[in-house]
């Protein structure tokens, strides 16, 4: 079992920045590739970014390329999502997730999920 807890969400104006954190406990964090997903009101959950076990490779949805940066600190069992130049369309609940795949953008490949943190971007 891996328990995941997201923090760092909040209300920010368009153009602003937020840094989300995902703290993991339980089994060895470094055994899992990690990902961020988001779900806006009335929409399905969608992929945001993913990172390999070592942190050496990252993948991003087109919506976040150039604005979002995913990273991880295996010594601290924590993953991050730095979000810059935020837009109102980034408003959503952001979830972190863990997978045994090498890296994945598909929701169904993820085994463990956090409860989510709300990000609201005002125009």
């Amino acid at each position: 079992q891996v328990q995941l807890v997201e923090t760092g969400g909040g209300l920010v104006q368009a153009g602003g920045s937020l840094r989300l954190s995902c703290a993991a406990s339980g089994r060895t964090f470094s055994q899992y590739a990690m990902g961020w997903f988001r779900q806006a009101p009335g929409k399905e959950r969608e992929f945001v970014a993913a990172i390999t076990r070592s942190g050496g490779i990252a993948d991003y949805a087109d919506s976040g390329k150039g604005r979002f940066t995913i990273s991880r600190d295996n010594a601290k069992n924590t993953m991050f999502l730095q979000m810059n130049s935020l837009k109102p369309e980034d408003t959503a609940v952001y979830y972190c997730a863990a997978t045994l795949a090498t890296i994945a953008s598909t929701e169904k490949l993820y085994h463990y999920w956090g409860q989510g943190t709300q990000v609201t971007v005002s125009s």
Side-chain angles (χ1 to χ4, degrees), residues 64-108:
K65 285 181 180 177
R67 300 188 299 127
F68 294 176
T69 302
I70 188 171
S71 62
R72 65 190 295 165
D73 184 340
N74 286 344
K76 296 183 178 179
N77 289 356
T78 306
M79 176 181 64
F80 306 97
L81 184 68
Q82 178 67 42
M83 303 187 295
N84 299 328
S85 303
L86 283 162
K87 306 174 182 179
E89 51 263 45
D90 294 318
T91 294
V93 177
Y94 283 71
Y95 299 89
C96 68
T99 177
L100 291 173
T102 300
I103 191 169
S105 59
T106 304
E107 183 176 340
K108 65 181 180 181

Tab-separated table of all heavy atoms in Angstrom, residues 64-108:
chain	number	residue	atom	x	y	z
A	64	GLY	N	0.063	21.659	-20.356
A	64	GLY	CA	0.991	22.147	-19.347
A	64	GLY	C	2.423	22.338	-19.824
A	64	GLY	O	3.251	22.866	-19.073
A	65	LYS	N	2.695	21.946	-21.041
A	65	LYS	CA	4.067	22.062	-21.550
A	65	LYS	C	4.523	23.510	-21.554
A	65	LYS	O	3.812	24.400	-22.021
A	65	LYS	CB	4.151	21.476	-22.956
A	65	LYS	CG	4.130	19.954	-22.973
A	65	LYS	CD	4.229	19.402	-24.381
A	65	LYS	CE	4.215	17.873	-24.356
A	65	LYS	NZ	4.238	17.301	-25.720
A	66	GLY	N	5.715	23.711	-21.008
A	66	GLY	CA	6.266	25.055	-20.934
A	66	GLY	C	5.810	25.848	-19.728
A	66	GLY	O	6.371	26.908	-19.444
A	67	ARG	N	4.798	25.358	-19.042
A	67	ARG	CA	4.292	26.066	-17.856
A	67	ARG	C	4.439	25.238	-16.582
A	67	ARG	O	4.635	25.794	-15.505
A	67	ARG	CB	2.819	26.422	-18.049
A	67	ARG	CG	2.536	27.316	-19.230
A	67	ARG	CD	1.087	27.778	-19.225
A	67	ARG	NE	0.149	26.665	-19.311
A	67	ARG	CZ	-0.851	26.484	-18.438
A	67	ARG	NH1	-1.034	27.314	-17.423
A	67	ARG	NH2	-1.670	25.458	-18.593
A	68	PHE	N	4.287	23.925	-16.689
A	68	PHE	CA	4.325	23.043	-15.523
A	68	PHE	C	5.639	22.261	-15.501
A	68	PHE	O	6.167	21.880	-16.552
A	68	PHE	CB	3.173	22.038	-15.571
A	68	PHE	CG	1.802	22.647	-15.444
A	68	PHE	CD1	0.675	21.837	-15.554
A	68	PHE	CD2	1.611	24.004	-15.230
A	68	PHE	CE1	-0.598	22.359	-15.439
A	68	PHE	CE2	0.344	24.548	-15.114
A	68	PHE	CZ	-0.748	23.729	-15.226
A	69	THR	N	6.128	22.002	-14.295
A	69	THR	CA	7.320	21.176	-14.130
A	69	THR	C	7.075	20.169	-13.025
A	69	THR	O	6.751	20.547	-11.892
A	69	THR	CB	8.540	22.028	-13.773
A	69	THR	OG1	8.763	23.005	-14.793
A	69	THR	CG2	9.780	21.142	-13.661
A	70	ILE	N	7.235	18.902	-13.373
A	70	ILE	CA	7.091	17.835	-12.395
A	70	ILE	C	8.478	17.438	-11.900
A	70	ILE	O	9.441	17.410	-12.678
A	70	ILE	CB	6.344	16.624	-12.995
A	70	ILE	CG1	6.014	15.595	-11.923
A	70	ILE	CG2	7.116	16.010	-14.145
A	70	ILE	CD1	5.092	14.480	-12.418
A	71	SER	N	8.585	17.138	-10.621
A	71	SER	CA	9.854	16.708	-10.050
A	71	SER	C	9.574	15.835	-8.836
A	71	SER	O	8.431	15.735	-8.386
A	71	SER	CB	10.708	17.914	-9.662
A	71	SER	OG	10.059	18.690	-8.672
A	72	ARG	N	10.614	15.213	-8.325
A	72	ARG	CA	10.450	14.383	-7.149
A	72	ARG	C	11.720	14.369	-6.332
A	72	ARG	O	12.821	14.562	-6.866
A	72	ARG	CB	10.053	12.945	-7.543
A	72	ARG	CG	11.097	12.183	-8.323
A	72	ARG	CD	10.529	10.874	-8.866
A	72	ARG	NE	10.167	9.954	-7.798
A	72	ARG	CZ	9.390	8.875	-7.978
A	72	ARG	NH1	8.897	8.610	-9.177
A	72	ARG	NH2	9.112	8.069	-6.966
A	73	ASP	N	11.554	14.112	-5.053
A	73	ASP	CA	12.671	13.982	-4.132
A	73	ASP	C	12.485	12.645	-3.423
A	73	ASP	O	11.701	12.551	-2.465
A	73	ASP	CB	12.680	15.141	-3.135
A	73	ASP	CG	13.879	15.110	-2.212
A	73	ASP	OD1	14.491	14.043	-2.059
A	73	ASP	OD2	14.197	16.145	-1.632
A	74	ASN	N	13.174	11.630	-3.894
A	74	ASN	CA	12.977	10.288	-3.324
A	74	ASN	C	13.456	10.205	-1.876
A	74	ASN	O	12.956	9.389	-1.102
A	74	ASN	CB	13.680	9.249	-4.183
A	74	ASN	CG	12.937	8.991	-5.486
A	74	ASN	OD1	11.762	9.350	-5.635
A	74	ASN	ND2	13.613	8.384	-6.449
A	75	ALA	N	14.403	11.025	-1.507
A	75	ALA	CA	14.877	11.011	-0.120
A	75	ALA	C	13.803	11.508	0.843
A	75	ALA	O	13.795	11.137	2.013
A	75	ALA	CB	16.133	11.865	0.004
A	76	LYS	N	12.902	12.344	0.320
A	76	LYS	CA	11.837	12.905	1.152
A	76	LYS	C	10.469	12.325	0.816
A	76	LYS	O	9.449	12.807	1.319
A	76	LYS	CB	11.812	14.421	1.002
A	76	LYS	CG	13.068	15.101	1.513
A	76	LYS	CD	12.968	16.615	1.416
A	76	LYS	CE	14.219	17.272	1.990
A	76	LYS	NZ	14.144	18.753	1.890
A	77	ASN	N	10.459	11.308	-0.053
A	77	ASN	CA	9.190	10.652	-0.429
A	77	ASN	C	8.147	11.657	-0.897
A	77	ASN	O	6.964	11.566	-0.525
A	77	ASN	CB	8.627	9.845	0.746
A	77	ASN	CG	9.435	8.600	1.035
A	77	ASN	OD1	10.384	8.277	0.319
A	77	ASN	ND2	9.079	7.904	2.085
A	78	THR	N	8.580	12.580	-1.713
A	78	THR	CA	7.680	13.653	-2.130
A	78	THR	C	7.833	13.953	-3.617
A	78	THR	O	8.940	13.912	-4.157
A	78	THR	CB	7.951	14.936	-1.321
A	78	THR	OG1	7.877	14.647	0.078
A	78	THR	CG2	6.937	16.018	-1.653
A	79	MET	N	6.710	14.243	-4.237
A	79	MET	CA	6.683	14.673	-5.631
A	79	MET	C	6.101	16.085	-5.685
A	79	MET	O	5.320	16.462	-4.807
A	79	MET	CB	5.808	13.727	-6.460
A	79	MET	CG	5.631	14.150	-7.899
A	79	MET	SD	4.589	13.041	-8.847
A	79	MET	CE	3.004	13.193	-8.033
A	80	PHE	N	6.477	16.817	-6.711
A	80	PHE	CA	6.045	18.205	-6.825
A	80	PHE	C	5.495	18.492	-8.219
A	80	PHE	O	5.840	17.822	-9.187
A	80	PHE	CB	7.220	19.150	-6.563
A	80	PHE	CG	7.921	18.903	-5.268
A	80	PHE	CD1	9.073	18.133	-5.229
A	80	PHE	CD2	7.420	19.427	-4.089
A	80	PHE	CE1	9.722	17.888	-4.038
A	80	PHE	CE2	8.063	19.186	-2.882
A	80	PHE	CZ	9.214	18.411	-2.859
A	81	LEU	N	4.660	19.503	-8.284
A	81	LEU	CA	4.231	20.042	-9.563
A	81	LEU	C	4.292	21.556	-9.453
A	81	LEU	O	3.479	22.166	-8.750
A	81	LEU	CB	2.819	19.601	-9.942
A	81	LEU	CG	2.353	20.062	-11.324
A	81	LEU	CD1	3.153	19.367	-12.424
A	81	LEU	CD2	0.854	19.808	-11.509
A	82	GLN	N	5.275	22.142	-10.101
A	82	GLN	CA	5.384	23.598	-10.159
A	82	GLN	C	4.553	24.088	-11.335
A	82	GLN	O	4.784	23.678	-12.472
A	82	GLN	CB	6.847	24.010	-10.336
A	82	GLN	CG	7.050	25.507	-10.460
A	82	GLN	CD	6.731	26.253	-9.185
A	82	GLN	OE1	7.087	25.820	-8.095
A	82	GLN	NE2	6.043	27.384	-9.322
A	83	MET	N	3.606	24.947	-11.043
A	83	MET	CA	2.703	25.456	-12.075
A	83	MET	C	2.871	26.962	-12.183
A	83	MET	O	2.620	27.691	-11.209
A	83	MET	CB	1.253	25.104	-11.737
A	83	MET	CG	1.023	23.618	-11.565
A	83	MET	SD	-0.719	23.192	-11.366
A	83	MET	CE	-1.078	23.985	-9.807
A	84	ASN	N	3.296	27.401	-13.335
A	84	ASN	CA	3.495	28.831	-13.604
A	84	ASN	C	2.533	29.315	-14.681
A	84	ASN	O	1.932	28.503	-15.397
A	84	ASN	CB	4.940	29.070	-14.050
A	84	ASN	CG	5.955	28.679	-13.010
A	84	ASN	OD1	5.707	28.784	-11.809
A	84	ASN	ND2	7.107	28.218	-13.458
A	85	SER	N	2.395	30.608	-14.781
A	85	SER	CA	1.516	31.212	-15.797
A	85	SER	C	0.150	30.553	-15.805
A	85	SER	O	-0.371	30.163	-16.861
A	85	SER	CB	2.170	31.098	-17.183
A	85	SER	OG	3.438	31.702	-17.198
A	86	LEU	N	-0.416	30.428	-14.647
A	86	LEU	CA	-1.697	29.719	-14.523
A	86	LEU	C	-2.815	30.454	-15.241
A	86	LEU	O	-2.833	31.691	-15.296
A	86	LEU	CB	-2.039	29.515	-13.057
A	86	LEU	CG	-1.250	28.375	-12.387
A	86	LEU	CD1	-1.296	28.499	-10.872
A	86	LEU	CD2	-1.795	27.029	-12.824
A	87	LYS	N	-3.741	29.654	-15.769
A	87	LYS	CA	-4.882	30.160	-16.513
A	87	LYS	C	-6.175	29.712	-15.826
A	87	LYS	O	-6.170	28.691	-15.129
A	87	LYS	CB	-4.855	29.598	-17.938
A	87	LYS	CG	-3.563	29.839	-18.700
A	87	LYS	CD	-3.588	29.115	-20.037
A	87	LYS	CE	-2.286	29.294	-20.788
A	87	LYS	NZ	-2.288	28.568	-22.091
A	88	PRO	N	-7.257	30.423	-16.046
A	88	PRO	CA	-8.533	29.980	-15.452
A	88	PRO	C	-8.887	28.551	-15.828
A	88	PRO	O	-9.481	27.824	-15.018
A	88	PRO	CB	-9.534	30.985	-16.025
A	88	PRO	CG	-8.733	32.225	-16.233
A	88	PRO	CD	-7.378	31.742	-16.679
A	89	GLU	N	-8.515	28.118	-17.005
A	89	GLU	CA	-8.818	26.744	-17.431
A	89	GLU	C	-8.000	25.686	-16.699
A	89	GLU	O	-8.231	24.498	-16.861
A	89	GLU	CB	-8.657	26.580	-18.947
A	89	GLU	CG	-7.349	27.079	-19.481
A	89	GLU	CD	-7.449	28.489	-20.044
A	89	GLU	OE1	-8.073	29.362	-19.396
A	89	GLU	OE2	-6.883	28.723	-21.142
A	90	ASP	N	-7.034	26.118	-15.893
A	90	ASP	CA	-6.296	25.181	-15.047
A	90	ASP	C	-7.057	24.868	-13.755
A	90	ASP	O	-6.622	24.005	-12.977
A	90	ASP	CB	-4.920	25.742	-14.697
A	90	ASP	CG	-4.008	25.873	-15.903
A	90	ASP	OD1	-4.000	24.954	-16.738
A	90	ASP	OD2	-3.316	26.902	-16.009
A	91	THR	N	-8.151	25.537	-13.535
A	91	THR	CA	-8.949	25.297	-12.335
A	91	THR	C	-9.459	23.864	-12.319
A	91	THR	O	-10.090	23.406	-13.273
A	91	THR	CB	-10.140	26.269	-12.284
A	91	THR	OG1	-9.638	27.597	-12.132
A	91	THR	CG2	-11.063	25.946	-11.111
A	92	ALA	N	-9.148	23.157	-11.242
A	92	ALA	CA	-9.512	21.743	-11.144
A	92	ALA	C	-9.063	21.214	-9.783
A	92	ALA	O	-8.321	21.877	-9.059
A	92	ALA	CB	-8.842	20.927	-12.251
A	93	VAL	N	-9.503	20.012	-9.489
A	93	VAL	CA	-8.919	19.264	-8.381
A	93	VAL	C	-7.747	18.475	-8.958
A	93	VAL	O	-7.904	17.769	-9.955
A	93	VAL	CB	-9.934	18.309	-7.734
A	93	VAL	CG1	-9.270	17.494	-6.636
A	93	VAL	CG2	-11.121	19.101	-7.179
A	94	TYR	N	-6.602	18.621	-8.336
A	94	TYR	CA	-5.385	17.964	-8.799
A	94	TYR	C	-5.099	16.752	-7.915
A	94	TYR	O	-5.079	16.864	-6.685
A	94	TYR	CB	-4.220	18.931	-8.776
A	94	TYR	CG	-4.254	19.894	-9.932
A	94	TYR	CD1	-5.213	20.905	-9.987
A	94	TYR	CD2	-3.357	19.786	-10.996
A	94	TYR	CE1	-5.281	21.783	-11.069
A	94	TYR	CE2	-3.409	20.662	-12.074
A	94	TYR	CZ	-4.372	21.647	-12.106
A	94	TYR	OH	-4.427	22.508	-13.173
A	95	TYR	N	-4.831	15.628	-8.582
A	95	TYR	CA	-4.577	14.374	-7.899
A	95	TYR	C	-3.178	13.872	-8.224
A	95	TYR	O	-2.736	13.958	-9.370
A	95	TYR	CB	-5.561	13.294	-8.346
A	95	TYR	CG	-7.004	13.594	-8.078
A	95	TYR	CD1	-7.777	14.285	-8.997
A	95	TYR	CD2	-7.603	13.166	-6.896
A	95	TYR	CE1	-9.111	14.553	-8.760
A	95	TYR	CE2	-8.935	13.425	-6.647
A	95	TYR	CZ	-9.685	14.115	-7.580
A	95	TYR	OH	-11.012	14.377	-7.326
A	96	CYS	N	-2.511	13.313	-7.238
A	96	CYS	CA	-1.287	12.588	-7.527
A	96	CYS	C	-1.582	11.096	-7.474
A	96	CYS	O	-2.527	10.658	-6.805
A	96	CYS	CB	-0.161	12.967	-6.583
A	96	CYS	SG	-0.363	12.463	-4.863
A	97	ALA	N	-0.774	10.338	-8.193
A	97	ALA	CA	-1.004	8.911	-8.302
A	97	ALA	C	0.315	8.185	-8.495
A	97	ALA	O	1.292	8.776	-8.978
A	97	ALA	CB	-1.945	8.611	-9.471
A	98	ALA	N	0.323	6.912	-8.138
A	98	ALA	CA	1.524	6.092	-8.220
A	98	ALA	C	1.269	4.873	-9.098
A	98	ALA	O	0.194	4.268	-9.044
A	98	ALA	CB	1.952	5.640	-6.832
A	99	THR	N	2.276	4.523	-9.888
A	99	THR	CA	2.165	3.387	-10.789
A	99	THR	C	3.444	2.557	-10.799
A	99	THR	O	4.541	3.104	-10.605
A	99	THR	CB	1.849	3.851	-12.216
A	99	THR	OG1	1.811	2.711	-13.091
A	99	THR	CG2	2.908	4.811	-12.742
A	100	LEU	N	3.302	1.266	-11.072
A	100	LEU	CA	4.465	0.407	-11.236
A	100	LEU	C	4.957	0.399	-12.677
A	100	LEU	O	6.000	-0.195	-12.966
A	100	LEU	CB	4.132	-1.024	-10.788
A	100	LEU	CG	3.903	-1.186	-9.283
A	100	LEU	CD1	3.409	-2.589	-8.960
A	100	LEU	CD2	5.181	-0.876	-8.507
A	101	ALA	N	4.232	1.052	-13.569
A	101	ALA	CA	4.704	1.206	-14.930
A	101	ALA	C	5.934	2.115	-14.951
A	101	ALA	O	6.184	2.854	-14.001
A	101	ALA	CB	3.602	1.797	-15.800
A	102	THR	N	6.663	2.067	-16.029
A	102	THR	CA	7.870	2.900	-16.140
A	102	THR	C	7.507	4.381	-16.101
A	102	THR	O	8.150	5.185	-15.433
A	102	THR	CB	8.616	2.575	-17.435
A	102	THR	OG1	8.991	1.180	-17.412
A	102	THR	CG2	9.866	3.428	-17.587
A	103	ILE	N	6.491	4.712	-16.829
A	103	ILE	CA	5.916	6.049	-16.843
A	103	ILE	C	4.592	5.917	-17.560
A	103	ILE	O	4.458	5.085	-18.463
A	103	ILE	CB	6.837	7.091	-17.521
A	103	ILE	CG1	6.331	8.522	-17.274
A	103	ILE	CG2	6.970	6.812	-19.003
A	103	ILE	CD1	7.329	9.602	-17.689
A	104	ALA	N	3.594	6.667	-17.164
A	104	ALA	CA	2.270	6.450	-17.736
A	104	ALA	C	1.451	7.727	-17.752
A	104	ALA	O	1.493	8.511	-16.802
A	104	ALA	CB	1.523	5.366	-16.957
A	105	SER	N	0.704	7.894	-18.832
A	105	SER	CA	-0.238	8.997	-18.934
A	105	SER	C	-1.679	8.512	-18.885
A	105	SER	O	-2.608	9.311	-18.983
A	105	SER	CB	-0.006	9.781	-20.233
A	105	SER	OG	-0.168	8.920	-21.350
A	106	THR	N	-1.836	7.204	-18.742
A	106	THR	CA	-3.164	6.593	-18.726
A	106	THR	C	-3.602	6.332	-17.300
A	106	THR	O	-2.915	5.650	-16.546
A	106	THR	CB	-3.162	5.267	-19.510
A	106	THR	OG1	-2.694	5.511	-20.836
A	106	THR	CG2	-4.557	4.671	-19.557
A	107	GLU	N	-4.740	6.863	-16.959
A	107	GLU	CA	-5.261	6.770	-15.600
A	107	GLU	C	-5.355	5.336	-15.101
A	107	GLU	O	-5.030	5.045	-13.953
A	107	GLU	CB	-6.634	7.449	-15.562
A	107	GLU	CG	-7.288	7.509	-14.210
A	107	GLU	CD	-8.594	8.278	-14.263
A	107	GLU	OE1	-8.803	9.067	-15.200
A	107	GLU	OE2	-9.416	8.083	-13.342
A	108	LYS	N	-5.778	4.428	-15.964
A	108	LYS	CA	-6.039	3.055	-15.518
A	108	LYS	C	-4.762	2.313	-15.128
A	108	LYS	O	-4.839	1.256	-14.497
A	108	LYS	CB	-6.779	2.282	-16.601
A	108	LYS	CG	-5.990	2.055	-17.875
A	108	LYS	CD	-6.820	1.295	-18.890
A	108	LYS	CE	-6.046	1.048	-20.175
A	108	LYS	NZ	-6.863	0.318	-21.175
